[in-house]
Amino acid sequence: MKKPEELRSHQWFGTEGLRSFSHRARTRQLGYLPEEHLGKPVIAVLNTWSDINPCHAHLRERAQAVKRGVWQAGGFPLEFPVATLSETYQKPTPMLYRNLLAMETEELLRSYPVDGAVLMGGCDKSTPALLMGAASADLPAVFVPAGPMLPGHWRTEVLGSGTDMWKYWDDKRAGLIGDCEMAELENGLARSPGHCMTMGTASTLTAAAEALGMTVPGASSIPAVDSGHDRMAAASGMRIVDLVREDLRPSAILTREAYEDAVATVLALGGSTNAVIHLIAMAGRSGVPLTLDDFDRIARTVPVLANLRPGGRYLMEDFHFAGGLPGFLTRLRDAGVLHLDRPTVAHKTLGEQLAGALVHDDDVIRPLDAPLAAEGGVAVLRGNLCPDGAVVKHIAAEPHLLEHTGPAVVFDDYRTLQRTIDDPGLGITEDSVLVLRGSGPLGGPGMPEYGMLPLPDHLLKKGVRDMVRISDARMSGTSYGACVLHVAPESHVGGPLALVRTGDLITLDVPARTLRLEVDDAELERRRAQWQAPPPRYGRGYGALYQDQITQADTGCDFRFLARPGEVPEPYAG
């Protein structure tokens, strides 16, 4: 156990020099007594709350519960506001700013007199950003998930945010419902603070954080407005103080085995394709090589056991009361998938953490002999259209489209697609393959969630609800359909997607894990010779840094200078 003089914060507060005297004097200016903080672990509470982030609208109050726990355990909490990445409002996409929050997290923890951190987030990009920064700083840390919102309601139907938004928007375009129904849906879709209550990106990544061992047990599924969420926040505050005294750091928890277990968890949950990019980036910050091939390998060993939308029936509140992630992980434990000897922030081993966990509803969390799907919910594709890989959430697609050949209809950017998708002159049929380019990490910029391309009105009115769609974009984890995503390299850097022309045949074969442009190599070389790279979009600012440093989707879209190994010295506090 660490002695008070061994705490990192001691260098700021406990020495005899002028600087330490100044630090103590300014702490008095803040209104704190010496006995409130001297010799105690100083805990940074990193809060992504803001007035424009509905997923985190309750985190101002939850921070008080975290602080309560820190005080009770003998620590000294300090709340820090950090960037809020609101999936709902931030444009062109919060993915553009994930690495900015990761940088802020790392440098804040490094530069201030703190011994450990509680990371508060949950909206899609906040979870990976906070964990990436914490992994790089490598101070003891606990993650507090924001929690899912309450289920939505419309008339007699239970709604899932995102998933049912897409469904009913298509119904409106097809003429099946009108403006009055849409106004009612608008009021019933999102009823409380918290992130999406489907197994979208937010729930997927908070579950991954728990599977990695970075939360207290069961934290990821507690509804945001449940009193249990307040108790979890306080428990997290108490636990971080012990982690500092034990000097248990993310580097000891975020191991190769932990990331493999997180991948297995995401795939068995039928989770978001966005987790592929984020987990690869997070693993890179931990010095763990994780690739698309690891996802595909693990996907073939785990079934989908979570009957959750968009691939299944239920919502996160149902999952929580069915046993939550601890119960869910017992299924994977019994399948022999998990590494049970690795540590978590709460227990010496994952096996110890899962002892006593139960599943209470076999329809929500399926038994191993009655899975929702026989293989993990995401497939990795290879072929001449995606030499560095692409992904598809095949459990959320219509089965007949998983082996499909059709003529391409190409859109060079999302605005053009929005403006022209309903044009009868394009000749789009249900057999067509819709192709969107210019939407990757550089082309987007930031790889926006454009990947669930809209279908033409005339097909929606005929009852068509899915088509093969291919892009270098991402899609919301709440989305569904035969959408091939993250095509790498992206078109903006001259990837094969840039060479596709309307009318070219494209073959998708998910069982064979292939995506192929049926054009001979000689013709593709002729097209490549004619291709011209687009000019840089940013002349200055953060955007210029982004376009200079961003990597492609298959390597996690991190910044090169952040992802590379190297030592960073501790600041001199004297």
Side-chain angles (χ1 to χ4, degrees):
M1 300 292 282
K2 276 194 171 184
K3 300 175 182 177
E5 61 270 21
E6 295 173 329
L7 293 170
R8 184 174 180 270
S9 57
H10 178 79
Q11 301 302 314
W12 274 262
F13 297 119
T15 61
E16 295 303 319
L18 172 63
R19 293 296 180 187
S20 190
F21 170 81
S22 173
H23 299 149
R24 292 193 300 270
R26 292 298 184 171
T27 309
R28 304 301 162 264
Q29 180 186 9
L30 289 168
Y32 295 112
L33 295 166
E35 53 267 36
E36 290 188 81
H37 73 97
L38 289 179
K40 297 181 178 182
V42 178
I43 306 301
V45 181
L46 272 57
N47 194 346
T48 51
W49 171 90
S50 81
D51 272 332
I52 200 167
N53 193 334
C55 302
H56 298 175
H58 57 307
L59 292 188
R60 176 181 268 179
E61 289 74 29
R62 292 298 176 274
Q64 301 309 308
V66 171
K67 292 179 186 179
R68 186 176 80 230
V70 172
W71 284 119
Q72 288 172 340
F76 179 65
L78 294 171
E79 186 176 354
F80 292 78
V82 292
T84 188
L85 306 183
S86 175
E87 200 67 31
T88 309
Y89 296 107
Q90 195 168 27
K91 306 300 180 185
T93 168
M95 184 63 177
L96 188 68
Y97 302 103
R98 183 200 68 183
N99 298 340
L100 184 62
L101 175 55
M103 280 196 294
E104 183 182 16
T105 299
E106 176 182 354
E107 298 306 323
L108 186 152
L109 296 180
R110 198 185 307 284
S111 60
Y112 279 96
V114 300
D115 301 298
V118 175
L119 315 168
M120 303 184 68
C123 196
D124 297 14
K125 313 306 177 296
S126 302
T127 300
L130 291 166
L131 289 172
M132 287 163 68
S136 294
D138 201 29
L139 294 181
V142 173
F143 182 70
V144 170
M149 69 177 87
L150 294 175
H153 280 279
W154 176 57
R155 298 181 179 176
T156 61
E157 294 192 37
V158 177
L159 303 176
S161 59
T163 301
D164 282 306
M165 177 184 74
W166 312 118
K167 173 183 179 293
Y168 284 110
W169 189 257
D170 280 351
D171 282 352
K172 179 181 185 297
R173 293 178 61 217
L176 300 177
I177 59 175
D179 292 340
C180 293
E181 290 86 353
M182 292 303 290
E184 293 175 10
L185 284 160
E186 188 175 300
N187 289 325
L189 195 63
R191 298 172 47 238
S192 78
H195 58 66
C196 290
M197 74 306 247
T198 56
M199 187 46 69
T201 303
S203 294
T204 300
L205 287 166
T206 53
E210 183 174 340
L212 285 167
M214 290 299 293
T215 78
V216 298
S220 63
S221 64
I222 303 172
V225 295
D226 192 298
S227 63
H229 198 268
D230 225 29
R231 298 192 296 273
M232 176 271 295
S236 301
M238 296 179 71
R239 183 60 188 142
I240 186 58
V241 178
D242 288 338
L243 290 176
V244 169
R245 290 174 172 148
E246 296 165 15
D247 199 27
L248 184 59
R249 299 170 182 251
S251 54
I253 294 168
L254 298 176
T255 60
R256 172 77 190 185
E257 292 77 15
Y259 281 105
E260 288 192 350
D261 288 353
V263 171
T265 300
V266 164
L267 293 167
L269 286 168
S272 169
T273 51
N274 287 309
V276 178
I277 292 175
H278 295 312
L279 281 171
I280 289 173
M282 291 159 62
R285 295 297 189 92
S286 302
V288 173
L290 190 68
T291 69
L292 290 177
D293 291 336
D294 291 315
F295 277 84
D296 200 54
R297 171 180 57 83
I298 294 171
R300 297 173 187 271
T301 69
V302 295
V304 178
L305 300 174
N307 188 8
L308 300 172
R309 301 184 202 183
R313 173 184 174 188
Y314 295 102
L315 297 172
M316 286 302 297
E317 187 172 24
D318 304 306
F319 180 76
H320 178 65
F321 292 111
L325 202 73
F328 181 84
L329 290 178
T330 63
R331 301 290 205 216
L332 298 185
R333 177 198 63 191
D334 295 345
V337 171
L338 301 177
H339 300 86
L340 298 173
D341 293 332
R342 61 182 178 86
T344 72
V345 296
H347 289 87
K348 293 187 183 301
T349 68
L350 177 63
E352 179 184 315
Q353 182 162 310
L354 297 182
L358 298 171
V359 174
H360 308 297
D361 190 326
D362 285 343
D363 193 35
V364 179
I365 301 175
R366 294 290 185 87
L368 290 169
D369 60 0
L372 203 68
E375 289 189 353
V378 175
V380 175
L381 308 174
R382 303 279 184 177
N384 70 345
L385 194 50
C386 54
D388 291 339
V391 300
V392 61
K393 189 173 181 177
H394 53 95
I395 65 161
E398 292 191 8
H400 74 278
L401 293 173
L402 300 181
E403 295 178 77
H404 180 82
T405 298
V409 180
V410 180
F411 301 90
D412 285 323
D413 59 79
Y414 192 67
R415 292 185 187 183
T416 301
L417 181 147
Q418 288 179 304
R419 189 177 65 251
T420 62
I421 188 66
D422 296 323
D423 183 355
L426 295 178
I428 299 173
T429 72
E430 59 192 278
D431 293 323
S432 299
V433 176
L434 303 181
V435 175
L436 172 66
R437 53 191 174 210
S439 301
L442 276 170
M447 213 176 174
E449 293 183 340
Y450 295 161
M452 188 180 169
L453 280 59
L455 275 56
D457 282 350
H458 71 274
L459 291 181
L460 292 172
K461 290 173 181 175
K462 285 174 57 179
V464 176
R465 286 296 184 271
D466 199 5
M467 294 173 64
V468 174
R469 290 159 275 181
I470 299 171
S471 72
D472 46 15
R474 298 176 300 111
M475 78 176 184
S476 167
T478 66
S479 301
Y480 51 86
C483 302
V484 177
L485 311 157
H486 311 179
V487 169
E490 65 173 308
S491 59
H492 200 81
V493 299
L497 201 65
L499 311 179
V500 183
R501 296 179 179 174
T502 293
D504 290 345
L505 290 179
I506 295 176
T507 297
L508 169 66
D509 189 336
V510 173
R513 299 297 199 264
T514 58
L515 179 68
R516 179 166 180 81
L517 178 62
E518 305 294 352
V519 175
D520 65 65
D521 293 343
E523 172 60 19
L524 290 178
E525 285 305 312
R526 282 192 291 272
R527 295 182 188 180
R528 188 176 303 281
Q530 297 169 1
W531 181 80
Q532 293 184 346
R537 181 175 275 104
Y538 293 98
R540 59 163 302 281
Y542 173 75
L545 171 67
Y546 176 92
Q547 69 190 11
D548 180 63
Q549 290 292 325
I550 196 68
T551 64
Q552 288 290 295
D554 61 302
T555 53
C557 295
D558 202 357
F559 286 166
R560 292 181 183 88
F561 76 94
L562 294 175
R564 69 188 181 213
E567 295 298 318
V568 179
E570 273 281 290
Y572 177 58

